[in-house]
C-alpha cells in the first residue's frame, strides 16, 4: 500500500503514527513553495502539480481545508476516490482500515478539530473587532463625509472614462506596492529594493500631466463588492495600516481607482452579465489600437482567450516574472527604443509596472498598468472565481507560480524582445 501525505501541517507526523503496518509514505505534497523540492524525514516534498501519481493508492489530506485541497488534487490528476480527508466531517475511518488504525484516528481527529475550532473562535473574535473598526469609516463615508478624512478615490467607471477619453497613462498601487515602500515586501515576485521603494513613494504623490495614479478604494464605502471581498478589505485596512497609508498619500490629491483591473473576482460570481459589461468597457481602452504588451515571461496576456482581439495589432516585450526591477534600466531603455508614441503600452509586471508606466508617460508615451486583468478574464470565462490557470503565472494563489509550458505560434511571433530571462 503506497500513499502520499498532503499538507505538512502540525498534525501530519502524529497521523503517520496511525498508519497500518506495511503502508509506505512515498512522498509529501505541500503548497508552501519554501517546502517544495526539499527532503523531510527522508521523503521528497512536491507541489500538487509535480507530484508523481503512478502506483499511488491514496492521498491523505492532513490539514483542515479538505474541500479546497480535494479540488486542487483532482485538478492535478488524482481521483476523488484516492483522497482521504483526515479532518473531513464525513470521513468514515472504518472504510480505510487497510490504511489507517480507525479507532485511534477517530479519537485523534476529534481532539484536533476541537482544538482547531477553539483557535478559530478566537480568530473570529479578533477579525470581528477589525471589521467593526472599518465599519466606522464606511458609515461616515456614506452619511457625514466632513467629519472624517478619506483619500479622494474616484469610481471605477470614472477611471475607465478618464483613460479612454483623455488617453492618460496609469500607475496602479495595491498592497504589494505599499509593502515595498514600507520595506516589508511579502510576495515572491518582487523582493525589497530601496530604489524601487523610493520611486514608488515619489510617484504616489506625483502630478505629471497625462498620467494618473490609481489606488485601491479600500478606505470608505465598499458596498459594491461581494461580502467575502468586503470582509477581506475590512480585515486588511486596520487602524495601523490606514495610518501608514495616510502618511504616504497626498490627502488632497485626486486618485483614481486601482480596481479597474479587478472587474470580476471581487464581485458576486453570479453577476455574470455585470462582469461582462465591465470587461466590455475595459476593452474600449485598446479598441483598434496598436498595442505593445510588456509582461512577465509566464504572464501570457490574451493567450488562449479573446481579451485583446479587438486591438489593431499586438506585439510583446518579455521581462522576468520575478524581481523584474533588477533589470529595470534595460526594460525602460528597450521600451523607449522599440515602442512609438502612436502605440498603447499595456504593462503587467508587478510593482515594476507602476514605475514603468510613469517613466514612459514622462517621455510622452501612453502606458497603462493592467495588473492581473488577463487572469481576471480567464476566471470570468470559467465562472469560478479564483482558480488555477495552468499556463499562466499568478503570485496571488499558493502553488500557481508553477506554470505549464505552451506551444503557441501566434504568441511566439508576437514577441519582439526578451529581457533578462529565457522564454
Amino acid at each position: 500500500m503506497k500513499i502520499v501525505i498532503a499538507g505538512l501541517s502540525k498534525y501530519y507526523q502524529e497521523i503517520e503514527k496511525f498508519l497500518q503496518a506495511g503502508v509506505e509514505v512515498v512522498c509529501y505534497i505541500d503548497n508552501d513553495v519554501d517546502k517544495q523540492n526539499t527532503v523531510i524525514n527522508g521523503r521528497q516534498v512536491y507541489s500538487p502539480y509535480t507530484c508523481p501519481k503512478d502506483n499511488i493508492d491514496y492521498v491523505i489530506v492532513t490539514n483542515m481545508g479538505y474541500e479546497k485541497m480535494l479540488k486542487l488534487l483532482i485538478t492535478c490528476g488524482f481521483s476523488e476516490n484516492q483522497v482521504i480527508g483526515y479532518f473531513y466531517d464525513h470521513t468514515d475511518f472504518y472504510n480505510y482500515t487497510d490504511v489507517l488504525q480507525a479507532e485511534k484516528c477517530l479519537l485523534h481527529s476529534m481532539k484536533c478539530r476541537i482544538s482547531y475550532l477553539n483557535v478559530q473562535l478566537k480568530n473570529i473574535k479578533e477579525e470581528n473587532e477589525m471589521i467593526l473598526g472599518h465599519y466606522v469609516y464606511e458609515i461616515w463615508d456614506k452619511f457625514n463625509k466632513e467629519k472624517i478624512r478619506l483619500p479622494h478615490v474616484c469610481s471605477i467607471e470614472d477611471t475607465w472614462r478618464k483613460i479612454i477619453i483623455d488617453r492618460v497613462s496609469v500607475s496602479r498601487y495595491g498592497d504589494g506596492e505599499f509593502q515595498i515602500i514600507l520595506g516589508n515586501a511579502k510576495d515572491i515576485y518582487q523582493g525589497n529594493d530601496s530604489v524601487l521603494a523610493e520611486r514608488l513613494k515619489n510617484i504616489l504623490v506625483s502630478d505629471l500631466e497625462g498620467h494618473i495614479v490609481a489606488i485601491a478604494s479600500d478606505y470608505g464605502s465598499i458596498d459594491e463588492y461581494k461580502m467575502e471581498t468586503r470582509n477581506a478589505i475590512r480585515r486588511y485596512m486596520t487602524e495601523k495600516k490606514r495610518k501608514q497609508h495616510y502618511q504616504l498619500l497626498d490627502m488632497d490629491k485626486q486618485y483614481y481607482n486601482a480596481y479597474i483591473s479587478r472587474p470580476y473576482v471581487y464581485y458576486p460570481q453570479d453577476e455574470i452579465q455585470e462582469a461582462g459589461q465591465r470587461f466590455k468597457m475595459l476593452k474600449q481602452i485598446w479598441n483598434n489600437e496598436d498595442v505593445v504588451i510588456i509582461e512577465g515571461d509566464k504572464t501570457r496576456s490574451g493567450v488562449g482567450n479573446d481579451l485583446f482581439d479587438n486591438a489593431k495589432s499586438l506585439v510583446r516585450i518579455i521581462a522576468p516574472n520575478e524581481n523584474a526591477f533588477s533589470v529595470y534600466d534595460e526594460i525602460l531603455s528597450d521600451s523607449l527604443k522599440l515602442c512609438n508614441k502612436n502605440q498603447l503600452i499595456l504593462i503587467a509586471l508587478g510593482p515594476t509596472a507602476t514605475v514603468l508606466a510613469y517613466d514612459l508617460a514622462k517621455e510622452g508615451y501612453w502606458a497603462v498598468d493592467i495588473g492581473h486583468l488577463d487572469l481576471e478574464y480567464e476566471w470570468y470565462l470559467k465562472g469560478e472565481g479564483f482558480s488555477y490557470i495552468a499556463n499562466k503565472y499568478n503570485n496571488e494563489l499558493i502553488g500557481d507560480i508553477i506554470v505549464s509550458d505552451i506551444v503557441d505560434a501566434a504568441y511566439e511571433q508576437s514577441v519582439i524582445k526578451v529581457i533578462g530571462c529565457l522564454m
Side-chain angles (χ1 to χ4, degrees):
M1 180 73 66
K2 294 185 177 182
I3 70 163
V4 174
I5 298 289
L8 297 179
S9 67
K10 63 180 181 179
Y11 308 110
Y12 82 96
Q13 288 180 310
E14 294 179 25
I15 293 170
E16 285 188 26
K17 297 176 183 177
F18 305 135
L19 296 174
Q20 295 286 16
V23 173
E24 177 189 355
V25 180
V26 176
C27 60
Y28 297 125
I29 290 175
D30 201 273
N31 280 328
D32 187 340
V33 294
D34 292 331
K35 294 177 182 175
Q36 292 167 10
N37 299 317
T38 63
V39 176
I40 296 178
N41 298 335
R43 301 182 182 102
Q44 183 75 28
V45 183
Y46 294 94
S47 82
Y49 312 105
T50 60
C51 179
K53 300 168 184 65
D54 294 338
N55 302 316
I56 299 299
D57 296 295
Y58 291 103
V59 180
I60 301 179
V61 177
T62 67
N63 53 33
M64 297 291 175
Y66 169 73
E67 290 90 346
K68 186 175 181 180
M69 180 61 81
L70 173 63
K71 184 177 180 180
L72 180 56
L73 290 169
I74 292 173
T75 299
C76 296
F78 292 99
S79 71
E80 184 171 357
N81 291 334
Q82 285 180 282
V83 183
I84 302 172
Y86 190 85
F87 295 111
Y88 183 49
D89 289 340
H90 301 294
T91 296
D92 185 348
F93 290 110
Y94 290 99
N95 290 333
Y96 303 103
T97 53
D98 55 340
V99 186
L100 295 162
Q101 300 173 45
E103 291 186 7
K104 290 182 179 179
C105 289
L106 181 60
L107 291 172
H108 178 254
S109 174
M110 291 178 63
K111 178 182 176 181
C112 292
R113 278 190 286 170
I114 290 170
S115 175
Y116 175 77
L117 287 172
N118 285 332
V119 173
Q120 290 299 102
L121 288 171
K122 180 181 177 182
N123 290 340
I124 289 170
K125 180 181 177 182
E126 292 174 352
E127 286 186 3
N128 284 340
E129 290 173 355
M130 289 188 285
I131 288 170
L132 289 171
H134 194 279
Y135 271 137
V136 174
Y137 293 91
E138 295 178 54
I139 293 168
W140 279 116
D141 189 25
K142 292 177 186 177
F143 300 114
N144 206 340
K145 293 177 183 289
E146 292 79 16
K147 294 294 181 69
I148 194 167
R149 200 170 190 204
L150 297 171
H152 302 295
V153 185
C154 72
S155 70
I156 291 172
E157 291 78 9
D158 286 343
T159 304
W160 288 333
R161 294 189 188 98
K162 180 72 174 177
I163 298 169
I164 294 167
I165 295 172
D166 295 341
R167 299 171 74 88
V168 294
S169 295
V170 185
S171 293
R172 293 173 48 263
Y173 283 75
D175 179 51
E177 286 72 28
F178 279 102
Q179 291 302 107
I180 288 171
I181 293 173
L182 297 168
N184 299 320
K186 63 179 184 179
D187 289 305
I188 190 171
Y189 69 88
Q190 181 61 62
N192 285 316
D193 185 298
S194 59
V195 175
L196 175 58
E198 190 64 21
R199 292 299 315 277
L200 290 171
K201 183 177 179 180
N202 292 335
I203 293 169
L204 185 60
V205 294
S206 63
D207 187 20
L208 176 67
E209 185 176 355
H211 173 269
I212 62 175
V213 177
I215 61 176
S217 53
D218 291 347
Y219 306 95
S221 179
I222 48 177
D223 287 349
E224 62 187 309
Y225 305 118
K226 65 183 180 182
M227 183 58 71
E228 182 182 356
T229 303
R230 280 182 271 166
N231 283 339
I233 291 171
R234 289 161 181 157
R235 287 190 292 269
Y236 168 76
M237 191 52 66
T238 61
E239 284 294 330
K240 178 181 178 182
K241 186 74 68 177
R242 188 180 294 272
K243 183 178 180 181
Q244 289 174 335
H245 284 213
Y246 282 17
Q247 289 175 340
L248 294 168
L249 295 168
D250 178 350
M251 298 298 285
D252 296 318
K253 178 179 174 61
Q254 179 61 67
Y255 287 101
Y256 290 81
N257 205 310
Y259 285 150
I260 54 168
S261 67
R262 296 295 196 183
Y264 170 66
V265 80
Y266 283 3
Y267 298 87
Q269 256 70 78
D270 58 348
E271 296 179 359
I272 297 298
Q273 186 174 357
E274 292 85 346
Q277 288 300 313
R278 287 189 285 270
F279 279 110
K280 183 178 180 180
M281 177 63 76
L282 276 166
K283 288 182 179 183
Q284 293 305 304
I285 297 173
W286 51 84
N287 187 52
N288 204 33
E289 297 286 348
D290 293 308
V291 172
V292 181
I293 296 180
I294 303 176
E295 63 180 355
D297 57 295
K298 298 291 190 295
T299 303
R300 298 161 179 164
S301 298
V303 175
N305 62 53
D306 64 349
L307 182 59
F308 300 109
D309 282 7
N310 62 323
K312 185 177 180 180
S313 67
L314 189 152
V315 295
R316 302 171 193 270
I317 297 172
I318 304 299
N321 262 110
E322 296 176 2
N323 293 307
F325 198 74
S326 64
V327 290
Y328 181 75
D329 290 344
E330 189 177 351
I331 294 172
L332 177 60
S333 175
D334 284 340
S335 299
L336 293 172
K337 291 176 185 176
L338 295 170
C339 303
N340 66 64
K341 295 180 181 180
N342 295 321
Q343 293 172 308
L344 165 63
I345 303 171
L346 302 177
I347 314 170
L349 212 55
T352 298
T354 306
V355 178
L356 184 60
Y358 176 86
D359 285 345
L360 289 172
K362 192 164 57 175
E363 298 298 325
Y365 293 81
W366 185 19
V368 178
D369 172 6
I370 61 171
H372 285 84
L373 184 59
D374 177 74
L375 280 172
E376 286 271 332
Y377 194 57
E378 291 280 3
W379 295 330
Y380 160 71
L381 294 175
K382 289 180 70 177
E384 297 180 4
F386 281 113
S387 57
Y388 175 55
I389 308 298
N391 62 348
K392 297 188 177 185
Y393 183 99
N394 179 14
N395 64 290
E396 291 187 334
L397 290 182
I398 295 174
D400 277 14
I401 61 171
I402 300 168
V403 183
S404 62
D405 293 330
I406 61 167
V407 177
D408 189 300
Y411 169 73
E412 293 172 1
Q413 291 168 8
S414 71
V415 176
I416 60 174
K417 182 69 176 181
V418 178
I419 302 168
C421 58
L422 298 174
M423 284 287 291

